[in-house]
Amino acid sequence: MTSLWEKIRQEDTSAMVSLYEQTYADLLSYGVQLSNSNEVAKDAINDVFVDIWDNRSKLKPVEHVRAYLFACIRRKIFQSIASHRKISNLPEDMQLFNDQGDLSYEDILVAMQRSDEIRYKVQKALEKLTGRQRELIQMKYFKGMDYQQIESETGISMKTVYNTIYNAMKILADELRDILFVLIFLFLS
């Protein structure tokens, strides 16, 4: 796949089609697992490939194209879910549900308490990371920057950025294992 990536960087449309055809089924399966929606997954895949083609002249070499595509799909799906659900402020989200009559006052209080608990646990987990890991996680997931943007802003090689974020995510996954189900439910409900 690396050779296809290089051909795409050189504006080879047949390489783009080949990459799309070779990865589509796996990307769709992964996207459906993340989003629980065929449409969201398909839209994310199409958006990623359009972005790749639109930015082909700026693309950097990628050693692990498949992993790169999976990461792009994941980011697109989470951006889509966040923009549709507006989950960034949970108490406001709960008020919206209450206005629609979906949650009782008690449900809102329980959800707010759970939200505070989740925030506390996430904060504690973030404290387990090194300063560099926290900085890169914030750039990647809170500011929505891609690996290339992080590389240019920090001067850290893309491989180091990717590895640092990967290691940080492993630490966070271990620390937040007990609330992971709750977080997934909040993003997908």
Side-chain angles (χ1 to χ4, degrees):
M1 284 191 199
T2 306
S3 63
L4 288 176
W5 186 261
E6 289 306 311
K7 288 178 183 177
I8 291 168
R9 292 179 63 215
Q10 297 168 6
E11 302 190 16
D12 184 337
T13 55
S14 64
M16 184 69 166
V17 171
S18 290
L19 182 64
Y20 184 85
E21 289 172 346
Q22 288 179 26
T23 59
Y24 183 82
D26 291 335
L27 293 173
L28 181 62
S29 176
Y30 179 67
V32 170
Q33 287 175 4
L34 289 176
S35 67
N36 213 17
S37 166
N38 267 342
E39 293 307 312
V40 170
K42 288 177 182 178
D43 288 347
I45 293 167
N46 290 334
D47 288 348
V48 165
F49 277 92
V50 167
D51 289 348
I52 289 170
W53 187 252
D54 287 348
N55 296 301
R56 63 193 175 274
S57 63
K58 300 176 202 164
L59 293 175
K60 303 234 180 205
V62 173
E63 193 171 319
H64 302 286
V65 175
R66 187 175 176 80
Y68 177 84
L69 291 173
F70 276 83
C72 290
I73 296 300
R74 182 179 59 248
R75 183 177 62 248
K76 283 285 184 190
I77 287 173
F78 287 160
Q79 287 173 348
S80 173
I81 290 170
S83 69
H84 285 102
R85 302 284 187 207
K86 297 182 181 172
I87 297 178
S88 60
N89 192 342
L90 194 55
E92 284 181 22
D93 218 27
M94 286 181 272
Q95 184 61 44
L96 175 65
F97 286 134
N98 193 43
D99 291 344
Q100 297 172 353
D102 291 339
L103 292 176
S104 69
Y105 180 70
E106 292 81 13
D107 291 336
I108 291 173
L109 290 177
V110 169
M112 287 176 69
Q113 185 177 9
R114 182 175 288 149
S115 173
D116 289 341
E117 179 183 340
I118 289 171
R119 280 191 198 104
Y120 175 77
K121 287 184 177 184
V122 169
Q123 183 61 40
K124 285 296 181 190
L126 287 171
E127 289 172 6
K128 302 264 182 178
L129 303 178
T130 66
R132 176 173 276 178
Q133 287 173 326
R134 275 193 303 274
E135 175 190 15
L136 296 181
I137 288 288
Q138 183 172 7
M139 294 172 90
K140 176 81 174 128
Y141 296 104
F142 295 100
K143 293 182 180 177
M145 297 171 72
D146 63 26
Y147 291 107
Q148 293 172 349
Q149 292 169 320
I150 295 170
E151 177 187 38
S152 24
E153 187 165 313
T154 63
I156 302 170
S157 75
M158 192 179 317
K159 184 175 182 176
T160 302
V161 169
Y162 179 83
N163 289 336
T164 304
I165 290 174
Y166 176 80
N167 291 331
M169 293 304 291
K170 282 184 3 184
I171 292 168
L172 291 175
D174 287 343
E175 292 295 318
L176 299 172
R177 184 172 292 134
D178 60 330
I179 64 167
L180 190 56
F181 177 76
V182 174
L183 291 173
I184 291 170
F185 174 76
L186 290 174
F187 277 103
L188 297 178
S189 63

